[in-house]
Amino acid sequence: MWKAVVCDDEYIVLEALSIMIDWEGLGIRLVGTAEDGLSALELIRRVKPDIVLTDIRMPGLDGLQLIETVLSEAPDTHCIVFSGFNEFEYVKRAIRLGVADYVEKPITEEAIERALGKVLGRIERESAIRSMERKLQDTDEALLEKAVWELLLFGKEAEQAWREQFGPEGDRVAGVTVLAAAEPFRLPEHPAYRAIHLRDDKHHLAVMFHYMDLPSAHWDSLVDELDDAGLAVGISLTHPPEEAHASWREAVQAHKAAKLLGIRGAVRFGELGSGSDNPSHLSALEEAILLALRAGSRTMVAEEADRFLREILESKPDPDTVESEMLKIIYAAEEAVGEHRDPSGKPHIEIAEAAAEGRLSEWFRERLKRLAEQAAASRDRDKHSAIEKAKEYVVQNAFRDVSLQETASFVGLHPAYLSVLFKETTGETFIQYLTRNRVELAKSLLRKGMKISEVSDRVGYMNPRHFGEVFKRHTGMTPGQYRDSQLSS
């Protein structure tokens, strides 16, 4: 299990993140928190975490200084920063330092889990590479395993080296299927394929190199054997050797689905719903653009887009390559903003028209700017809409002791996040807002001359004495004094 620490000078943020993130479910153990940069550095040096989540602004040692120190001492550490809307210059510096992702405040459960998922994917890839390096030995079998690992990691780039190591039979291979499980297993020998068994930090893999189509009866028999063994095994689709990296990702994804669903047996990737595999091999420049987009800053997006254009154009690629790279970023950007994607036009058509008219760079900048503006505006609307909906729910239910959990469920937010967002937006806590509305309802009932015990019951206080204490604390008078003063006037 990977280790993580969280650093932020706001205690409520530390508490919220500790509660609202399912760390164990992500395969992460939260081993500590810190409220300032110096204590954070001491904690990180002591527990040696794999992941550091830190605010940019902290006393003693700010987040950028902390990241720079940590990465100089432990380069394999993966850092995620979060910051306010007006700190984009700091974010750019953080990106230059090599942070894994950026999360905008106020922090949402979805944003944190998305950033952690990205980091975990990177850690798994690096772990696989380290595992591969540990396996290197001067034997034919070890060299073959190395070649197969490189084929899984890099696909077409490693195909020729794999064929040379695989031997003459490599020319007969028509497809690759990968099986992944947490426990060791072996595939039986068969003339239709050759199986190479590998191991990384988390999975036992069987890589099947098909010489011919495997008879369906044999597939069924193989799946039955895996089911009988009680193993949770993910099975990829069959891809040509140059796309073997897709087979590996699909097998791991299918295995994760099997674990998530509690299935003991074989799960084929093709049986999963659409969108189960969403790989991303973006360069540092492309990732910087996506981070800027999530920040919602037009200026930052424009600067990162210009930097991308300068560097890609300086390499003097052919026009088709430029269009392909730009289109890949635009589609990744639309996916990053999710439901707020730009609904206007079709990028693959627009980019061809822009290229024909000689305004490719201008189109690229404008498209990213529109996406950033729409994403930022939608996030603000969604945030304020949720709080207004929560306030209205409280007002409508002031006659009873409505809870934070109930209100959070009604508006579709995590209770801890609603608590933080409510205080930030309204200036008072959820309980303060609820109590104030119950007192206002009580005052209106008292002005009608109702008995104090009846009013207490009508506003959700089962104990009239407790109601009287709350009422006096908010108004300076007992309920009886307030009623009498209103009736006499």
Side-chain angles (χ1 to χ4, degrees):
M1 185 170 287
W2 308 111
K3 296 187 295 183
V5 300
V6 180
C7 316
D8 197 295
D9 61 346
E10 296 183 59
Y11 176 76
I12 193 169
V13 173
L14 295 179
E15 284 296 298
L17 288 177
S18 299
I19 295 171
M20 69 191 227
I21 302 301
D22 182 12
W23 299 97
E24 296 290 333
L26 293 171
I28 302 172
R29 183 160 54 96
L30 184 61
V31 294
T33 61
E35 297 185 29
D36 64 84
L38 293 176
S39 59
L41 183 59
E42 179 181 354
L43 171 67
I44 291 168
R45 285 171 171 167
R46 185 174 73 253
V47 303
K48 295 179 172 50
D50 305 288
I51 306 169
V52 174
L53 300 93
T54 178
D55 192 7
I56 283 184
R57 291 187 178 273
M58 290 191 298
L61 192 71
D62 68 33
L64 295 181
Q65 294 170 320
L66 175 65
I67 291 169
E68 187 172 13
T69 303
V70 169
L71 293 181
S72 68
E73 296 178 359
D76 292 334
T77 307
H78 297 265
C79 299
I80 299 172
V81 298
F82 30 84
S83 184
F85 73 96
N86 60 346
E87 296 176 334
F88 301 125
E89 288 300 320
Y90 291 95
V91 174
K92 289 199 299 184
R93 289 174 54 196
I95 293 171
R96 302 289 190 274
L97 290 174
V99 299
D101 207 349
Y102 162 85
V103 178
E104 180 186 6
K105 283 189 172 182
I107 300 166
T108 67
E109 181 179 357
E110 293 78 9
I112 289 293
E113 290 187 349
R114 181 174 60 245
L116 289 171
K118 177 180 176 181
V119 168
L120 290 174
R122 182 179 295 181
I123 290 176
E124 288 181 0
R125 289 194 295 273
E126 293 175 356
S127 297
I129 293 174
R130 287 194 296 269
S131 176
M132 176 192 71
E133 292 173 345
R134 288 195 298 268
K135 290 177 175 292
L136 294 182
Q137 300 173 3
D138 292 331
T139 65
D140 290 341
E141 189 63 28
L143 290 174
L144 176 58
E145 289 184 14
K146 174 180 179 294
V148 173
W149 262 121
E150 290 179 343
L151 185 68
L152 296 181
L153 289 167
F154 306 114
K156 188 172 182 60
E157 298 177 16
E159 181 184 3
Q160 184 58 39
W162 161 76
R163 289 190 181 278
E164 293 174 358
Q165 192 62 44
F166 198 87
E169 296 296 321
D171 292 334
R172 293 179 55 208
V173 174
V176 177
T177 305
V178 177
L179 291 81
E183 301 85 5
F185 67 100
R186 304 289 296 185
L187 295 183
E189 294 184 2
H190 193 279
Y193 65 81
R194 178 181 179 183
I196 304 297
H197 293 84
L198 304 174
R199 176 78 171 97
D200 65 14
D201 290 342
K202 291 188 175 182
H203 301 96
H204 292 267
L205 304 177
V207 185
M208 301 174 67
F209 294 94
H210 300 275
Y211 301 134
M212 62 188 75
D213 291 336
L214 193 63
S216 58
H218 186 83
W219 262 119
D220 294 338
S221 174
L222 180 61
V223 170
D224 288 342
E225 288 181 16
L226 294 172
D227 290 343
D228 293 341
L231 298 176
V233 181
I235 304 178
S236 75
L237 301 176
T238 300
H239 294 275
E242 64 269 19
E243 296 175 13
H245 56 289
S247 296
W248 178 35
R249 289 197 305 273
E250 291 173 0
V252 170
Q253 189 73 17
H255 177 249
K256 287 181 180 179
K259 290 173 59 181
L260 180 65
L261 298 173
I263 296 174
R264 305 301 293 181
V267 174
R268 302 189 188 192
F269 179 79
E271 298 170 347
L272 303 181
S274 62
S276 296
D277 186 38
N278 185 25
S280 177
H281 293 291
L282 301 176
S283 67
L285 290 171
E286 293 166 340
E287 290 194 14
I289 291 176
L290 295 186
L291 292 177
L293 179 69
R294 293 190 189 107
S297 165
R298 182 192 302 178
T299 301
M300 188 174 172
V301 169
E303 290 176 354
E304 294 300 340
D306 286 342
R307 188 163 72 94
F308 172 84
L309 289 170
R310 283 196 307 272
E311 297 201 21
I312 194 172
L313 294 176
E314 283 176 1
S315 65
K316 298 180 180 179
D318 63 87
D320 289 343
T321 299
V322 176
E323 290 183 35
S324 175
E325 290 298 312
M326 287 184 179
L327 199 56
K328 180 170 66 174
I329 291 177
I330 294 300
Y331 280 126
E334 288 190 343
E335 185 176 353
V337 301
E339 63 181 6
H340 309 310
R341 68 179 60 187
D342 186 352
S344 63
K346 297 179 175 61
H348 63 283
I349 296 176
E350 291 182 4
I351 196 170
E353 295 173 349
E357 296 170 5
R359 51 181 183 86
L360 199 56
S361 296
E362 290 78 3
W363 173 86
F364 181 71
R365 293 190 188 95
E366 180 61 28
R367 189 85 188 195
L368 285 175
K369 183 181 73 173
R370 291 206 310 268
L371 282 167
E373 290 173 342
Q374 292 179 356
S378 296
R379 281 197 301 271
D380 289 340
R381 285 195 302 270
D382 291 348
K383 177 176 67 177
H384 291 294
S385 174
I387 294 303
E388 290 303 315
K389 188 176 179 182
K391 289 167 63 178
E392 182 180 353
Y393 189 78
V394 169
V395 172
Q396 293 175 349
N397 293 275
F399 60 89
R400 62 186 181 85
D401 191 16
V402 63
S403 68
L404 172 65
Q405 287 75 13
E406 177 185 343
T407 307
S409 177
F410 178 75
V411 300
L413 294 177
H414 192 284
Y417 179 56
L418 176 62
S419 178
V420 174
L421 191 58
F422 201 97
K423 178 64 180 297
E424 177 183 293
T425 305
T426 67
E428 56 186 337
T429 66
F430 174 85
I431 296 300
Q432 289 171 337
Y433 185 82
L434 171 62
T435 303
R436 181 166 61 82
N437 277 273
R438 294 169 79 185
V439 168
E440 289 300 318
L441 177 59
K443 287 164 68 176
S444 70
L445 297 176
L446 289 168
R447 286 197 294 270
K448 297 177 181 179
M450 288 183 63
K451 293 181 180 181
I452 295 172
S453 59
E454 293 176 344
V455 173
S456 173
D457 185 61
R458 288 282 293 274
V459 297
Y461 288 93
M462 303 305 295
N463 188 326
R465 181 176 179 180
H466 176 55
F467 163 65
E469 293 171 349
V470 173
F471 189 91
K472 185 174 182 179
R473 187 164 61 246
H474 280 263
T475 66
M477 293 183 285
T478 66
Q481 291 171 338
Y482 179 84
R483 181 189 59 190
D484 293 343
S485 68
Q486 296 296 308
L487 293 177
S488 63
S489 62

